[in-house]
Amino acid sequence: AARREWRHAASRGDAERRIALLKSVGFDWDPQETAWAKLFAQLVAFQAATGSTEVPQSWGKQSQEKFDSEEEPEWWSEELGKWANNQRIYGKAFKKPASERSKAEKRYAGSTTERRVALLDGIGVHFGQSPHSIYFEVVTPEITLWLGTSLGI
């Protein structure tokens, strides 16, 4: 019946009716934005569970120790780890003045939007910093001071 309605609407050029039919079956008008929003929601859940936005890209010994879990927790996925890393790269390039961007940074900056960068900023994502420097800055500022003094960082 839906197929017949679709063809009937198409033959009459009834765009509004076709749009209504697509909406009625839950057609996704922007699958890329939907996928981004889904992973952003996972990042928010990760942050709620861990207090961090630094998602490991793999679940190895270092991650097990950091999050005190030998098993991969439900709030972690390899896809989320890679996505979060990419968002940091894209955000760093996006925030850099356009005149100072390398060819690769121009491509990276074009992979995100001001809205996305603002959302990530809003939950505390640090763009372009290594997880180790972020850990020291956020968790133990006295160690950062010690490292900076001792190692000239």
Side-chain angles (χ1 to χ4, degrees), residues 33 36-41 43-44 47 53 83 87 91 94-95 112-127:
E33 187 61 28
W36 192 93
K38 177 184 167 201
L39 285 161
F40 179 74
L43 180 60
V44 170
Q47 182 190 36
T53 58
W83 178 85
Q87 298 311 304
F94 188 87
K95 287 181 164 203
T112 194
T113 64
E114 187 172 347
R115 179 183 155 278
R116 288 177 176 180
V117 171
L119 286 168
L120 293 164
D121 258 336
I123 63 166
V125 171
H126 299 273
F127 297 101

Side-chain angles (χ1 to χ4, degrees), residues 22-35:
L22 288 169
K23 285 181 179 179
S24 74
V25 295
F27 184 78
D28 187 352
W29 298 96
D30 192 349
Q32 285 183 323
E33 187 61 28
T34 301

Side-chain angles (χ1 to χ4, degrees), residues 1-146:
R3 179 181 253 171
R4 192 173 331 124
E5 285 183 57
W6 179 262
R7 273 194 254 138
H8 179 67
S11 67
R12 291 183 307 140
D14 188 357
E16 290 172 11
R17 184 178 170 120
R18 293 180 91 182
I19 290 170
L21 286 170
L22 288 169
K23 285 181 179 179
S24 74
V25 295
F27 184 78
D28 187 352
W29 298 96
D30 192 349
Q32 285 183 323
E33 187 61 28
T34 301
W36 192 93
K38 177 184 167 201
L39 285 161
F40 179 74
Q42 288 179 9
L43 180 60
V44 170
F46 176 89
Q47 182 190 36
T50 67
S52 170
T53 58
E54 296 301 317
V55 183
Q57 291 188 54
S58 63
W59 199 259
K61 185 174 181 161
Q62 191 175 20
S63 299
Q64 291 171 4
E65 289 173 4
K66 181 176 181 178
F67 297 106
D68 195 29
S69 176
E70 287 187 26
E71 298 295 316
E72 294 176 359
E74 63 184 43
W75 40 256
W76 178 84
S77 72
E78 188 172 336
E79 179 185 23
L80 179 62
K82 289 178 181 177
W83 178 85
N85 185 60
N86 286 339
Q87 298 311 304
R88 282 190 291 278
I89 293 168
Y90 301 158
K92 179 182 179 183
F94 188 87
K95 287 181 164 203
K96 194 172 191 178
S99 62
E100 297 176 18
R101 293 178 190 156
S102 68
K103 188 175 182 179
E105 287 171 329
K106 288 176 185 174
R107 190 173 62 248
Y108 296 149
S111 297
T112 194
T113 64
E114 187 172 347
R115 179 183 155 278
R116 288 177 176 180
V117 171
L119 286 168
L120 293 164
D121 258 336
I123 63 166
V125 171
H126 299 273
F127 297 101
Q129 294 179 296
S130 77
H132 301 294
S133 68
I134 293 165
Y135 174 80
F136 287 127
E137 288 173 22
V138 174
V139 178
T140 56
E142 62 279 352
I143 292 177
T144 301
L145 179 63
W146 175 80

